[in-house]
Amino acid sequence: PCSPAQKLVFNRVNGKRPQVLLPHSLAPEESYTAAHEENVRFVYEAWQEVEQQLDDGQRGESTHGPVQYVEKNPNPRLKTFVPIDLEDWWAQQFLAKIENCS
């Protein structure tokens, strides 16, 4: 399977400014704690189970399980609503600040 495109992630540690980003080939490998990996695995596996149950319910194989909420009378003003991608927005803000400083 193809891996998704990499996204910039901005984390501040103790309010300190993040380190300068290095090109991918020069950047050290990211390391995650065992607890972080366990949390990610738990959420991923739980979500996969929910998606499987939703699929089973749509095929009529299950009468119990999660129910997907669908608005019966959607607000017509929300027809063109597009949710914002916060990671992309923060990345754009960060890059704009870098460009303004140079």
Side-chain angles (χ1 to χ4, degrees):
C2 254
S3 61
Q6 292 183 352
K7 290 188 175 185
L8 294 174
V9 178
F10 304 98
N11 296 317
R12 288 196 176 213
V13 178
N14 299 329
K16 295 179 183 176
R17 298 182 83 165
Q19 295 178 346
V20 176
L21 297 174
L22 299 174
H24 183 66
S25 60
L26 300 176
E29 285 295 316
E30 271 190 76
S31 60
Y32 298 104
T33 64
H36 172 83
E37 290 180 7
E38 182 180 349
N39 288 340
V40 170
R41 190 176 313 108
F42 171 79
V43 170
Y44 176 80
E45 289 172 359
W47 185 248
Q48 294 302 311
E49 186 176 326
V50 168
E51 286 187 325
Q52 181 64 46
Q53 290 173 353
L54 281 171
D55 288 344
D56 291 348
Q58 289 175 348
R59 288 191 301 257
E61 296 174 14
S62 175
T63 57
H64 303 322
V67 177
Q68 187 170 4
Y69 176 78
V70 178
E71 188 88 36
K72 290 181 183 175
N73 298 313
N75 185 332
R77 293 186 302 187
L78 295 177
K79 195 174 221 175
T80 59
F81 174 77
V82 178
I84 186 170
D85 180 343
L86 286 176
E87 283 188 15
D88 185 52
W89 185 84
W90 279 110
Q92 289 176 12
Q93 297 299 311
F94 179 76
L95 295 173
K97 285 182 183 179
I98 290 174
E99 289 174 0
N100 289 336
C101 290
S102 54

